[in-house]
Every structure is written in structure tokens, then in C-alpha cells.
Amino acid sequence: MYLVSSYEVFWFYYNQLSDDKKLHYEIIPEGAVCKLYFDLEYSIPDNPESCGVRMVDLFIQYVCLWLEAEFRVKCNRKNVLDLDASTERKFSRHLIFNLSHVTFQDNVTLGYFVHHIMEKLSVFCESTNSSSKGTEQTSDTGTSTDSDKVTNAAMKISPPAGTVEEVSSSDTEDPKDKSHKTREGKLTTDGVFAHFTRKQLSTLFVQNKHGEKTAFCDMGVYTKNRNFRLYLSRKYGKKNPLRLAAENEFEPHSSRNDKTIFMHSLISNVKFTPKTRILKFHGTQKNRHGRLFSKTSSTACLEGYKASPYPEVDGFLIEHTRKLDSSAGIRHWTYFSQGEVIVYEMVNYRYCHNVQRSHKSNNVMFVVDLKKKVYYQKCLDPVCRSHNFKSSEFPLPESVFPSYLWEDDPMFDGEDEDLCCAADEMEKTMAV
Ligand SMILES: [Zn+2]
């Protein structure tokens, strides 16, 4: 069964359910922006040597360094909501990164990032010779002092306003650079691994039921319309709901109570602000061991244009921009399910209301606010961007809204039909 409601209304009813009736999952909508999240688990009897609490701490440090390396996002454990559903036999945690003004494009993109950093981890831990420079340095510098620095790293983020960040793993690293920084000042891969010893990082791998070595984090949770268990919910027939972990260091800005923890635990609960940075990731380079990342083949589906969840709005913008240039189109869209905002990056359309003419090389963006039924233009030109230019708001035509269709045909039962289709679709992809 699927419920659709605002978070407030859902919480009002959910909170009143007895503990054994809380069996709910969040659906992470396909194509919607999301927080960085992880599902960490292993069987305790199969891994008597593993110390889950220490592994979580190390894992968070590792991920934070990669966020700095790939996106220059600085964060630490205080940004990470840590939920615990462990039993005597199974260690189980959910980590939800609550980063200020930073979000991932969607959970599939996020999955590429996670695969990338886990692949790097695997290669690093497997390499037994000291042929690579990073490896040698690691054994010299991987001290707990370095790790502490990471934990206490500042969380201030200075983002370019409302932009989509494209990152591939083709770092412009200078291998001779001892500072572990790229020319653009980003942390390098070696810079990440310099904080750890191989022995430390090897603890992030565990044995599965079949005695195979596997990653501590579940890589299967980044699929379309993924179901992710809610705070305080348990699996049917089980007695271990997700609760705040004893080691959690995240504190909501407002007071800490079940409701604020719940709101911060929701993966798709991301609000669009003009400062929001949208991270996307597609690595296409071979790493130094010559392995091609498995995600390479998926890169294509991120590029180019496919319909947004609101094809009528897509159609309107295409028609609108083609009045000026018949080759105009949508290069890319980002959907914020919270607040119903879509950000469109255009191609071959450069008319900017700030300069009242077309830019020579920079394309413009449109932000569509479906709740307010308006759109406005933003700009990728460095000058326009520097003062965070936003055009005045223009009304969206009524024809792009679903209600227009229903008014047209009173027999059309669009809502139920759409919901049933969506539910069917999700059932197919529903996880255990
Ligand atoms: Zn401009």
C-alpha cells in the first residue's frame, strides 16, 4: 500500500501508531534530488573481529574526504544522522548526510559516486605492492592525528549559487604535487588515502553469508524508486526499529525530538534555495590500475535530455525558447519533489533578462515553481552568477497543469490512474 501526503500530515498519523504498527518506508522518487545516504550492515557471527562502531566512524571520515575531493564540500560527523537497527546477530545502520545547501541530482547519480569511492577503496586495499606513490605515503602519514583533523574539519560551504556541478573522476591531479591538492585546490585521491593506513581501511570489508569478502555498505540501495525504511519503523515481524544511534553526533537546528529527527532522516526532503548546489557525478576514466569503472556504461543516461516528471512544462519551455532559436532545447533538468521546483538548463538558448540580450557563450537556466505556477530565468554567465541574478517571475500557462486536463474532460479520472501506474511501477522495483 502506498500513502501520499505532506510530511507534516504523515508524521501526525505515523507518530500515533503503536511501535509494532510502524512498518513504513520512504519512496525515493525517480529523478528527484536526494541526500547522500548509506545502508551499512554485516552479520555479527560471520565477522567476530569486526567493530561496527569503529567502522562507522572510519567510514564517515572516508566519505567526508571524498566529498571534499570531488565536490569541495566540507563536512564531518556532525552532519551525519546516524540511525541504528542492530540486533545481536546483525549490525545495521543508516547514515543520512544533512549538508547545508548541497544535494545530489538523484539517487542513481549518487550511486555512481558511492560505487566510485568503494571501487577506489577496494583497489587501495587490494594492492599489495607499494608501486603507487599514494600507497607509500599512506603508511608514513596515516596517523590518528590526521584522522582527527578530518573529524573536526570545518563545515562551512561556499557554493556557487543554484548551479549544477558536473564532476567526472578525471581529476587534474599533478602527481608531483605533495600538497595533495589539484591545481584548482581540490583534494586528490592520494590526499584522501593519505589520511589512512591500508590496515585501517581494510576493516571496512566484511564476510557475507557465503564467506565472500564484501563492502560494509550495501551498494544495492541506489536504484530507481527505492524504498528506504523510515525512522522508528521496523521490518514486518521484526523487533528492531531504526532508532538514533548512541554515537550519533548530528543535532537538528531546532530542538531534538522524534519529529525533527524524522524530518532530517527523509532522503528526499531537500528544499530548493537559490544557494543550493546540485551535485552530479559520472566517472569515465580508468583508474591507475587500468580498471574501467562499471558505471561508465550508465553515463549516457545522465546526459542529453529525457522527459522530466512534467513533460507539459518541458514542452512549454521548448516551445518558448524555440521562438528565438529553432535549435533551442533542454540540456538537463533537476527535480525537487519537496516544494515542486524544477531547474532546467537550456541549450542553444542564451537570452538573459539581466543583460537584455543573448550571451555569447553561456546558456541560461529556468527555474519552474509549480506551486506558485511561475517560472524565472537564472544565468550561467559568471557576471550574472556573481550577483545571483534572478529575473522577474513569469506566469506558467494553465495548460501545463494536470487540472487543465481534468477540467477539459470530466470523465477523465487522471489522478487515480496515474497513482495506480506509479504504484505498479514501484512494486516492480520494490526491494525486500
Ligand atoms: Zn546572464
Side-chain angles (χ1 to χ4, degrees):
M1 187 176 80
Y2 295 88
L3 301 168
V4 180
S5 89
S6 69
Y7 293 143
E8 289 288 333
V9 170
F10 179 84
W11 174 256
F12 179 79
Y13 292 106
Y14 178 70
N15 189 37
Q16 296 173 51
L17 294 173
S18 59
D19 289 351
D20 61 327
K21 293 267 166 52
K22 288 194 176 87
L23 304 160
H24 297 67
Y25 290 73
E26 175 185 3
I27 293 167
I28 304 168
E30 179 179 354
V33 293
C34 68
K35 298 176 191 172
L36 173 58
Y37 64 94
F38 292 97
D39 183 11
L40 305 177
E41 56 179 30
Y42 66 85
S43 149
I44 293 169
D46 292 334
N47 296 277
E49 307 277 284
S50 293
C51 171
V53 169
R54 221 176 299 153
M55 287 159 72
V56 170
D57 202 49
L58 186 66
F59 186 75
I60 292 174
Q61 287 177 40
Y62 181 72
V63 173
C64 288
L65 282 164
W66 273 112
L67 284 170
E68 190 186 343
E70 292 293 350
F71 306 110
R72 277 194 249 194
V73 169
K74 293 202 174 179
C75 62
N76 61 46
R77 187 154 190 166
K78 292 190 164 45
N79 298 96
V80 185
L81 180 59
D82 182 355
L83 300 180
D84 190 359
S86 300
T87 61
E88 275 181 13
R89 297 189 57 81
K90 193 179 166 194
F91 183 87
S92 171
R93 292 281 178 102
H94 280 186
L95 302 181
I96 300 117
F97 282 60
N98 282 269
L99 306 168
S100 317
H101 307 301
V102 173
T103 177
F104 272 84
Q105 164 87 24
D106 57 53
N107 77 326
V108 174
T109 304
L110 164 59
Y112 299 153
F113 171 69
V114 176
H115 275 91
H116 174 67
I117 68 172
M118 295 313 289
E119 171 81 19
K120 291 272 187 190
L121 181 67
S122 167
V123 168
F124 177 77
C125 292
E126 276 169 22
S127 58
T128 46
N129 58 50
S130 329
S131 58
S132 83
K133 176 177 146 283
T135 309
E136 284 166 14
Q137 289 204 339
T138 301
S139 30
D140 298 337
T141 56
T143 64
S144 58
T145 321
D146 279 346
S147 307
D148 293 345
K149 267 186 222 149
V150 179
T151 319
N152 299 324
M155 56 175 280
K156 195 162 167 281
I157 301 163
S158 48
T163 54
V164 176
E165 299 256 318
E166 288 193 46
V167 174
S168 75
S169 59
S170 55
D171 297 347
T172 47
E173 287 180 27
D174 179 355
K176 292 184 204 81
D177 185 3
K178 286 260 184 344
S179 71
H180 297 309
K181 292 279 165 82
T182 63
R183 262 164 264 149
E184 295 90 48
K186 284 204 304 189
L187 191 68
T188 62
T189 301
D190 283 350
V192 172
F193 286 105
H195 287 81
F196 310 98
T197 63
R198 186 179 292 120
K199 196 177 162 197
Q200 272 182 312
L201 290 180
S202 298
T203 63
L204 297 178
F205 292 91
V206 291
Q207 306 272 330
N208 68 13
K209 275 182 222 136
H210 314 290
E212 296 155 349
K213 200 172 106 174
T214 177
F216 172 44
C217 86
D218 182 351
M219 312 287 265
V221 296
Y222 307 105
T223 51
K224 288 174 185 172
N225 292 322
R226 180 74 202 183
N227 290 240
F228 208 57
R229 189 145 51 100
L230 289 182
Y231 174 55
L232 302 178
S233 269
R234 60 189 68 200
K235 287 183 187 168
Y236 184 73
K238 297 280 175 66
K239 288 194 170 115
N240 52 318
L242 278 159
R243 294 184 191 284
L244 205 57
E247 294 79 17
N248 172 67
E249 291 183 20
F250 173 79
E251 289 294 339
H253 295 304
S254 43
S255 55
R256 189 219 273 192
N257 54 49
D258 276 347
K259 185 179 173 186
T260 57
I261 298 293
F262 171 76
M263 292 297 173
H264 283 93
S265 75
L266 294 164
I267 309 298
S268 318
N269 187 8
V270 180
K271 289 210 170 63
F272 177 79
T273 73
K275 278 185 178 173
T276 303
R277 271 175 75 192
I278 303 155
L279 307 181
K280 64 176 191 168
F281 184 90
H282 48 93
T284 53
Q285 301 293 308
K286 282 182 179 179
N287 64 22
R288 70 163 68 89
H289 293 257
R291 287 191 192 182
L292 201 61
F293 301 129
S294 53
K295 65 186 169 294
T296 308
S297 58
S298 313
T299 307
C301 63
L302 282 177
E303 292 306 303
Y305 160 70
K306 56 175 182 169
S308 80
Y310 292 86
E312 293 84 4
V313 179
D314 302 355
F316 163 72
L317 283 178
I318 290 169
E319 199 183 315
H320 174 69
T321 52
R322 284 192 180 160
K323 285 176 194 157
L324 201 67
D325 185 331
S326 60
S327 65
I330 295 165
R331 192 177 75 84
H332 185 87
W333 53 264
T334 306
Y335 173 51
F336 289 76
S337 62
Q338 243 333 73
E340 297 292 292
V341 168
I342 316 175
V343 180
Y344 288 92
E345 279 181 82
M346 307 308 290
V347 65
N348 295 332
Y349 185 81
R350 305 194 171 90
Y351 185 83
C352 173
H353 287 273
N354 190 30
V355 295
Q356 310 242 308
R357 59 169 172 81
S358 291
H359 284 293
K360 286 201 180 66
S361 56
N362 290 293
N363 286 299
V364 300
M365 294 156 68
F366 288 107
V367 178
V368 173
D369 186 327
L370 294 160
K371 271 192 185 154
K372 285 172 76 180
K373 299 192 174 184
V374 298
Y375 71 99
Y376 53 87
Q377 177 241 321
K378 285 179 69 84
C379 192
L380 292 167
D381 177 78
V383 177
C384 297
R385 207 157 128 175
S386 66
H387 60 266
N388 204 4
F389 169 73
K390 176 191 159 186
S391 76
S392 42
E393 295 179 350
F394 307 103
L396 282 170
E398 280 297 325
S399 59
V400 305
F401 295 98
S403 56
Y404 181 81
L405 294 174
W406 304 334
E407 280 160 21
D408 224 27
D409 179 0
M411 296 304 285
F412 178 66
D413 194 11
E415 192 171 28
D416 283 353
E417 198 171 73
D418 284 355
L419 278 178
C420 291
C421 286
D424 278 354
E425 202 51 41
M426 282 167 189
E427 229 140 8
K428 279 179 218 152
T429 55
M430 174 114 179
V432 195

